[in-house]
Amino acid sequence: MSPLPLTFYARPALEVARDLLGTLLVVDGVKGRRVGRIVEVEAYLGEHDLACHSSKGLTPRTEVMFGPAGRAYMYLIYGMHHCFNVVTDSEGVGAAVLVRAVEPVEDLSPGERTDGPGRLCRVLGLNLNHNKQRLDSDGLHLLPGTPVPDAGVERGPRIGVEYAGAWAAEPFRLWIRDSGHVSRFVSRAPRRRP
């Protein structure tokens, strides 16, 4: 089976995010070939999206986000957890889709947690060495999977972007409704006192 063509990613981030659900993420590296089915994503639309890293403009870190599409954008959060994104849209837009969770498919034990961007990167062996890598390469690519019908997709606000004001509430997080591998979100809303 051939990897998804780079043209798959050269579309608006929300379209790509929706179509990533059900595809297979393949990492062939030091841990061997590992495959996970994408079950949860978040779209980041470009410089105008205040939750998007590119909203700060073109920097050495965000350079890859500005294109071309079909590259990996890797970064660290809290100085310790890697996050894997696919660069989308037209060159110059600065858009990407964060892959938040995968369901184990090949060479991943059922007990390995892949529900969250840091966990899936650790289990699959994704790190900063994958930054800017083409998503049709032997070591890192996505394969077509089983399409997910619209009735099986949930949408909600992105996680951990409260700083972005109204952009934080946009329903740009998408996940497969019945998946047991979707990350769990505990509200950080203040508790009401009795």
Side-chain angles (χ1 to χ4, degrees):
M1 186 181 302
S2 297
L4 293 172
L6 297 183
T7 54
F8 171 89
Y9 306 98
R11 300 177 291 140
L14 272 173
E15 288 180 26
V16 175
R18 169 61 184 90
D19 293 343
L20 282 172
L21 294 175
T23 62
L24 302 175
L25 173 57
V26 180
V27 182
D28 200 347
V30 295
K31 293 187 175 193
R33 179 183 161 95
R34 294 185 160 208
V35 182
R37 179 177 179 247
I38 296 177
V39 296
E40 181 183 7
V41 294
E42 285 180 350
Y44 291 88
L45 309 189
E47 287 183 273
H48 64 285
D49 177 350
L50 297 183
C52 187
H53 289 173
S54 66
S55 68
K56 306 288 191 263
L58 182 64
T59 67
R61 178 187 185 187
T62 63
E63 177 186 19
V64 65
M65 293 184 73
F66 287 90
R71 303 296 192 274
Y73 168 44
M74 300 291 306
Y75 61 88
L76 277 173
I77 54 171
Y78 312 122
M80 65 171 96
H81 301 297
H82 292 98
C83 292
F84 168 72
N85 300 257
V86 301
V87 175
T88 64
D89 220 307
S90 303
E91 285 198 57
V93 173
V97 177
L98 170 66
V99 177
R100 287 197 54 85
V102 299
E103 172 186 305
V105 172
E106 184 181 319
D107 283 343
L108 299 173
S109 73
E112 288 184 290
R113 292 186 62 182
T114 53
D115 58 334
R119 288 187 182 118
L120 80 85
C121 284
R122 184 173 53 254
V123 170
L124 293 175
L126 287 164
N127 56 49
L128 295 179
N129 293 326
H130 293 97
N131 193 44
K132 299 183 181 181
Q133 191 167 335
R134 286 173 53 128
L135 297 177
D136 62 352
S137 67
D138 289 340
L140 177 62
H141 56 271
L142 284 84
L143 299 172
T146 304
V148 180
D150 287 340
V153 176
E154 292 281 349
R155 292 177 180 257
R158 295 173 291 191
I159 296 173
V161 294
E162 293 80 13
Y163 59 84
W167 282 96
E170 293 289 344
F172 296 161
R173 177 176 164 241
L174 295 81
W175 65 95
I176 297 177
R177 175 177 293 134
D178 297 327
S179 174
H181 297 278
V182 171
S183 61
R184 304 291 182 247
F185 177 59
V186 178
S187 173
R188 290 182 176 83
R191 291 185 179 193
R192 293 176 33 181
R193 295 183 177 201

